[in-house]
Amino acid sequence: MNIFLILVIILLLLAVIDLIVGVSNDAVNFLNSAIGSKVFTFKTIMITASLGIFIGAVFSSGMMEVARKGIFNPGMFTFYDIMAVFLAVMLADIFLLDIFNSLGMPTSTTVSIVFDLLGAAVGVGLVKTLQQGADLGDIALYINSSSALKIISGILLSVVIAFTVGAIVQYISRLIFTFQFDIKKRILATSIFSGLAIASITYFIILKGLKGTDFYGDIKSYIHDYTLYIISLSLIFWTLISYILVKFFNINVLKIIILLGTFSLALAFAGNDLVNFIGVPIAGYNSYEAWASSGQPATQFMMTVLGDKVPTPIIFLIGAATIMVLTLWFSTKAQKVAKTAIDLSAQGDKDEKFQANPVSRAVVKASIGLNKAFTAVIPASTQIWIDSRFRTPAIKVKKDMPEFDMIRASVNLLVAAILISIATSMHLPLSTTYVTFMVAMGASLADRAWGRESAVYRIAGVLNVIGGWFLTALSAFFIAFTFAVLIYKFGFYLAIIFFIAELFMLYRSQRKHDQEVAAEKEEFFDFDNGTQELDEQKSTELLIAESLKNINKVIGYINKLYANTIDGLKAYDLDLLKKNDKNVKKLYKQGNKLRDKLYYIIKNNKDKDIIISNNYIKLLDKIQDLIQSMHFISKMSKEYVDNTHSELTNDQKQDLEKIRNVMVNLMNDMQKALVNRDFNQLRKLYKTTELDADLEDIINRQVLRIQKDESSLKNSNLYISILLETKDIEESLSKLLRIIFDATKDMPQDLVKPAQDQTPDKSDIPQNTENKDDKPSENY
């Protein structure tokens, strides 16, 4: 087996990998509107998108579109050169797309592959030019820089136009339908809107989705000659159909728009973007066939054959379609990328992923100024009428609520289909990712989804995504350039090494992502995202009673984490401290979400007892205090040992052991009292002062050590900080128990009776280690 056959096999394997990472990112294009509106089950959405992908891929001609666009001049490269270019392109493309997938950031696979090709071609062209001793200007013979400039201009143009048109259409649509629209009361308006949307989407399917198919050439001239007639007749036909469906069959036609739009975008994606993933490997396969039959040396056979259209065997198309569909169903990274775009366009408050920055703040302030200027010239009556159209109905927050309504989802799909169809008919370069994303962002802005509470974060997110798009182009160019130069200079065995290294990188990336997904699913607190529905009569009281389970859990977690931290510090066990600190960070992250959930819990509460609600707020506040103190102790202890500072003295270890045992016993007793609902015991525990005297004596002994120069600065800072934070934990626990006692002492007994399933597992309870071997805990 010669080296080039091995390289072709590697290219085909890279095609499979690129399909997986590519679909994981591009799925955001056609899934967002359907998933965000939640009018269909996830399974229905996936089946629809899968059908679109499979049909689009199988009926795609699979042409080597990128090569035909003239990113580089294949006639200037030998077979040896072109294999170096193709290997560099695929390695760079997979590397870059996986990074974006891991970050949950949508990007353009078209821009990525184009600039990969450009960078690799420039790299090989530069090396060849230097080897030949020619002028550096001769590099221009190898590439076509005008294509890159067209793509960049297309990016800028599509971003601005898509955002603007999406905002305008959504604004007008909302003025017509409002947030409280009733299809039955607006049959004519709904039918016209539906007819326009379905006509646009079906035309989009024909023009964009079927553009690469073999039979498109047979109808192309007819479509172009009678475009206006086709669109007009389609608009009239679908408007009448929509009217009949709404009027006589009571069918919500907006659902049809969303499902058909999802299918059309999936179809177009598979039919046209498929070459982004398999075009280069297939071209490499065809190049190998041409070279093998030529009988010429690899360094002499010129690749003029790539200037022709190269059809892809149907078996490859079916295989690619199957891989794309499977990826769509099973890739959690695809769901992560889609979540980014959905969260940025969500109606209402969300856990914002992006932090505000100076640019986003400046944009928000400028927008507020412009808004004030416009409202100053608009008559007050008009302003009142406009505000009434955007007034959202008062609804109870529930779990798995739609991120936006069907009107916005339909507008997203309608505008994206129209813009992409127009650009396709005019042969303008654009990215479907950029268009669909910016339409969604413009529509969310016009829909007032970006309010004063969220605008600064949403704009920061959009700017981050847009910045990532330009970073895609630059990164793709330079990464592919580097790979190409190294492979061309040092031989193809280096490409095999790069391939193996990339497989390992992908394995590590997926493993880390799986761990993150598992961590996100792990909930320390059963607040159900603050959206649980409580009955009318005992809503807040029931909430308080059910919260006892969470309080019991958090005390148990703090108990184990505290014991492990002290054990690890005494034993100078960095592994235990690191493992324990990861668990502390998980708990800390969950604790930070409590305040956001608190808002929705109180908002949903129908009970008017402010005192009980106030107690609930205090409970969560003390839970956060506990977690923050534990986080500080764990972080300081881990960093102290990790920085290889001196171990604690024996006296310090003995003192910490005493404090540890007091805290362990205290928290064990608290858990038992909570499980048994023993309020007399709770009263005794929150009044206990045993720890105060012990801490006072231990701090005094540490002061003496410092005065006698028996403790270093770092040692003393750590030791005193642990003691003070331990005191804070004890005080927070005491206040927590006092709140529980006050909040539950007058509640009905059926609500506060012992819960049989909450008894702590004895194997999970840290034991008093006094007079035992100095061995760190292995629990948690």
Side-chain angles (χ1 to χ4, degrees):
M1 182 181 292
N2 62 59
I3 183 65
F4 292 108
L5 181 58
I6 295 175
L7 296 178
V8 169
I9 294 173
I10 290 176
L11 277 176
L12 294 176
L13 291 175
L14 288 171
V16 174
I17 299 172
D18 205 25
L19 278 168
I20 296 172
V21 297
V23 173
S24 296
N25 198 281
D26 271 0
V28 69
N29 296 339
F30 48 85
L31 292 179
N32 283 355
S33 295
I35 293 177
S37 61
K38 295 184 179 178
V39 293
F40 296 103
T41 63
F42 185 74
K43 184 178 180 180
T44 301
I45 296 170
M46 296 296 283
I47 291 174
T48 303
S50 298
L51 287 173
I53 287 178
F54 195 85
I55 294 173
V58 171
F59 285 94
S60 171
S61 64
M63 299 296 181
M64 179 56 187
E65 185 175 346
V66 179
R68 289 190 284 114
K69 286 183 177 178
I71 298 302
F72 61 88
N73 298 317
M76 296 295 296
F77 295 88
T78 65
F79 174 65
Y80 185 95
D81 303 333
I82 213 70
M83 290 302 290
V85 170
F86 287 162
L87 285 165
V89 166
M90 295 305 295
L91 289 169
D93 196 56
I94 293 171
F95 177 80
L96 188 62
L97 289 179
D98 187 67
I99 291 176
F100 274 88
N101 291 343
S102 298
L103 295 174
M105 299 284 283
T107 191
S108 171
T109 55
T110 301
V111 170
S112 175
I113 198 69
V114 166
F115 278 88
D116 283 331
L117 281 164
L118 187 61
V122 169
V124 173
L126 176 63
V127 175
K128 287 178 62 110
T129 300
L130 293 176
Q131 288 177 345
Q132 295 168 2
D135 187 84
L136 288 178
D138 289 349
I139 296 177
L141 300 173
Y142 293 90
I143 62 172
N144 187 350
S145 58
S146 62
S147 294
L149 294 176
K150 286 182 180 179
I151 291 173
I152 293 174
S153 63
I155 292 172
L156 294 171
L157 193 63
S158 63
V159 165
V160 175
I161 292 178
F163 185 86
T164 304
V165 175
I168 293 172
V169 175
Q170 178 60 42
Y171 190 81
I172 295 173
S173 300
R174 190 60 69 191
L175 288 177
I176 296 173
F177 293 101
T178 76
F179 277 101
Q180 307 179 57
F181 70 94
D182 186 345
I183 291 180
K184 293 181 180 179
K185 295 180 180 179
R186 296 180 179 273
I187 296 178
L188 183 60
T190 303
S191 300
I192 294 174
F193 177 81
S194 174
L196 177 62
I198 297 177
S200 301
I201 291 172
T202 51
Y203 181 74
F204 171 76
I205 291 175
I206 296 172
L207 187 64
K208 183 70 175 174
L210 303 180
K211 180 184 176 183
T213 60
D214 293 331
F215 58 83
Y216 178 76
D218 300 332
I219 61 174
K220 180 178 179 181
S221 59
Y222 181 83
I223 291 175
H224 282 270
D225 292 341
Y226 298 97
T227 298
L228 185 59
Y229 294 104
I230 293 173
I231 294 176
S232 299
L233 290 174
S234 180
L235 175 60
I236 295 172
F237 174 77
W238 288 116
T239 300
L240 290 174
I241 293 296
S242 300
Y243 184 86
I244 294 171
L245 291 176
V246 175
K247 179 72 174 178
F248 300 105
F249 296 95
N250 196 26
I251 294 176
N252 190 338
V253 291
L254 296 179
K255 292 184 178 182
I256 299 176
I257 296 173
I258 294 171
L259 209 60
L260 186 61
T262 301
F263 173 83
S264 67
L265 287 178
L267 179 75
F269 157 72
N272 294 275
D273 290 357
L274 182 62
V275 293
N276 296 343
F277 314 126
I278 69 170
V280 169
I282 295 302
Y285 171 78
N286 291 325
S287 299
Y288 174 78
E289 284 187 321
W291 167 76
S293 61
S294 69
Q296 298 182 33
T299 54
Q300 297 179 11
F301 181 68
M302 306 306 294
M303 296 308 303
T304 54
V305 66
L306 289 183
D308 303 327
K309 295 183 179 181
V310 183
T312 304
I314 187 65
I315 187 65
F316 288 149
L317 294 177
I318 294 175
T322 304
I323 294 171
M324 294 166 80
V325 170
L326 291 175
T327 301
L328 186 66
W329 279 89
F330 297 106
S331 174
T332 53
K333 288 188 177 181
Q335 299 170 23
K336 183 177 181 180
V337 176
K339 186 177 185 301
T340 297
I342 292 173
D343 287 349
L344 286 174
S345 58
Q347 196 81 31
D349 299 322
K350 296 286 292 182
D351 291 333
E352 304 295 345
K353 176 179 179 179
F354 299 94
Q355 297 298 316
N357 56 53
V359 179
S360 67
R361 296 188 186 102
V363 171
V364 171
K365 291 175 182 177
S367 300
I368 292 174
L370 287 173
N371 183 63
K372 290 180 178 178
F374 281 118
T375 54
V377 299
I378 297 176
S381 58
T382 303
Q383 187 64 42
I384 292 173
W385 178 79
I386 292 174
D387 290 340
S388 69
R389 312 303 288 178
F390 284 87
R391 187 174 297 120
T392 56
I395 57 175
K396 186 172 182 178
V397 181
K398 298 179 181 180
K399 188 177 181 181
D400 294 330
M401 287 187 64
E403 305 296 350
F404 39 79
D405 65 2
M406 288 184 285
I407 290 293
R408 177 122 70 88
S410 301
V411 167
N412 289 345
L413 295 166
L414 166 64
V415 175
I418 290 176
L419 290 180
I420 296 173
S421 298
I422 292 174
T424 301
S425 63
M426 298 175 65
H427 304 287
L428 296 175
L430 67 91
S431 166
T432 55
T433 298
Y434 299 160
V435 170
T436 53
F437 180 83
M438 293 310 296
V439 165
M441 295 304 103
S444 62
L445 173 64
D447 222 17
R448 299 187 179 181
W450 297 358
R452 293 287 290 267
E453 301 298 324
S454 61
V456 69
Y457 308 107
R458 304 284 176 87
I459 292 174
V462 173
L463 292 175
N464 272 292
V465 172
I466 294 175
W469 294 345
F470 289 99
L471 182 64
T472 298
L474 294 174
S475 301
F477 180 89
F478 287 108
I479 294 173
F481 175 90
T482 302
F483 275 135
V485 170
L486 292 175
I487 292 172
Y488 190 80
K489 191 72 176 174
F490 297 102
F492 290 117
Y493 289 104
L494 183 62
I496 298 175
I497 295 175
F498 284 152
F499 171 67
I500 296 172
E502 196 155 279
L503 288 178
F504 179 72
M505 179 205 74
L506 291 170
Y507 167 75
R508 291 288 300 271
S509 172
Q510 187 61 45
R511 183 179 177 185
K512 181 180 179 181
H513 174 73
D514 292 341
Q515 291 173 348
E516 291 174 352
V517 171
E520 289 176 1
K521 291 180 179 179
E522 184 179 1
E523 290 287 343
F524 289 91
F525 309 105
D526 299 327
F527 289 123
D528 200 20
N529 294 320
T531 57
Q532 60 268 55
E533 296 187 58
L534 307 173
D535 62 69
E536 180 77 27
Q537 295 180 342
K538 50 184 181 182
S539 58
T540 308
E541 289 188 344
L542 182 59
L543 187 58
I544 292 287
E546 290 178 347
S547 297
L548 293 179
K549 179 180 179 181
N550 291 310
I551 295 167
N552 193 19
K553 287 173 65 177
V554 77
I555 292 176
Y557 289 133
I558 296 295
N559 195 0
K560 291 179 280 187
L561 295 170
Y562 182 86
N564 282 350
T565 301
I566 301 302
D567 290 342
L569 183 60
K570 285 168 48 194
Y572 211 72
D573 188 339
L574 181 59
D575 290 336
L576 176 60
L577 290 173
K578 283 184 175 181
K579 179 181 178 182
N580 193 65
D581 193 58
K582 287 182 179 179
N583 291 316
V584 172
K585 287 178 179 177
K586 291 179 184 178
L587 184 63
Y588 183 75
K589 185 177 180 181
Q590 293 279 331
N592 285 337
K593 295 180 180 179
L594 288 179
R595 288 195 185 277
D596 295 333
K597 294 179 180 181
L598 172 64
Y599 170 78
Y600 294 107
I601 293 173
I602 300 301
K603 182 178 179 180
N604 282 345
N605 180 27
K606 297 180 180 180
D607 200 296
K608 304 302 181 183
D609 193 334
I610 302 300
I611 296 178
I612 296 181
S613 296
N614 185 273
N615 282 332
Y616 185 67
I617 294 172
K618 291 177 182 178
L619 284 174
L620 295 188
D621 181 60
K622 292 308 163 190
I623 288 176
Q624 281 198 313
D625 288 346
L626 282 171
I627 295 172
Q628 288 170 358
S629 294
M630 187 64 248
H631 181 259
F632 187 74
I633 292 174
S634 176
K635 180 181 177 182
M636 284 197 66
S637 300
K638 187 205 72 170
E639 291 180 352
Y640 184 88
V641 176
D642 203 12
N643 292 334
T644 63
H645 295 310
S646 58
E647 293 190 40
L648 302 182
T649 65
N650 289 331
D651 289 341
Q652 288 176 324
K653 291 180 180 180
Q654 291 175 4
D655 288 342
L656 279 185
E657 178 70 13
K658 184 176 182 180
I659 294 298
R660 174 204 184 278
N661 291 332
V662 170
M663 290 296 293
V664 164
N665 290 334
L666 176 63
M667 285 186 272
N668 284 344
D669 291 341
M670 288 179 177
Q671 283 189 275
K672 293 175 183 177
L674 285 172
V675 168
N676 298 320
R677 305 295 191 263
D678 188 342
F679 297 110
N680 290 328
Q681 180 66 9
L682 285 179
R683 181 183 302 186
K684 293 179 183 178
L685 290 172
Y686 74 67
K687 290 184 177 181
T688 183
T689 58
E690 177 185 356
L691 186 65
D692 295 341
D694 291 336
L695 282 173
E696 191 74 22
D697 291 340
I698 291 174
I699 291 175
N700 288 337
R701 287 199 289 273
Q702 178 61 22
V703 170
L704 291 175
R705 294 189 192 101
I706 295 173
Q707 292 175 346
K708 294 179 181 180
D709 201 23
E710 295 178 356
S711 179
S712 66
L713 174 64
K714 299 293 185 184
N715 175 284
S716 182
N717 285 342
L718 170 71
Y719 194 73
I720 292 177
S721 295
I722 290 176
L723 296 178
L724 295 178
E725 291 298 329
T726 299
K727 175 62 177 174
D728 289 344
I729 290 177
E730 188 268 339
E731 290 178 350
S732 295
L733 286 169
S734 178
K735 292 177 181 178
L736 185 66
L737 293 182
R738 179 59 186 265
I739 296 168
I740 294 172
F741 182 80
D742 292 340
T744 58
K745 62 182 179 181
D746 297 324
M747 286 175 58
Q749 290 302 307
D750 63 320
L751 293 181
V752 295
K753 64 183 179 181
Q756 300 300 322
D757 62 338
Q758 294 183 33
T759 304
D761 187 344
K762 293 183 179 180
S763 63
D764 289 335
I765 298 177
Q767 303 299 314
N768 187 318
T769 59
E770 190 173 5
N771 299 324
K772 294 183 179 180
D773 295 336
D774 188 17
K775 183 179 180 181
S777 302
E778 296 295 337
N779 51 7
Y780 200 80

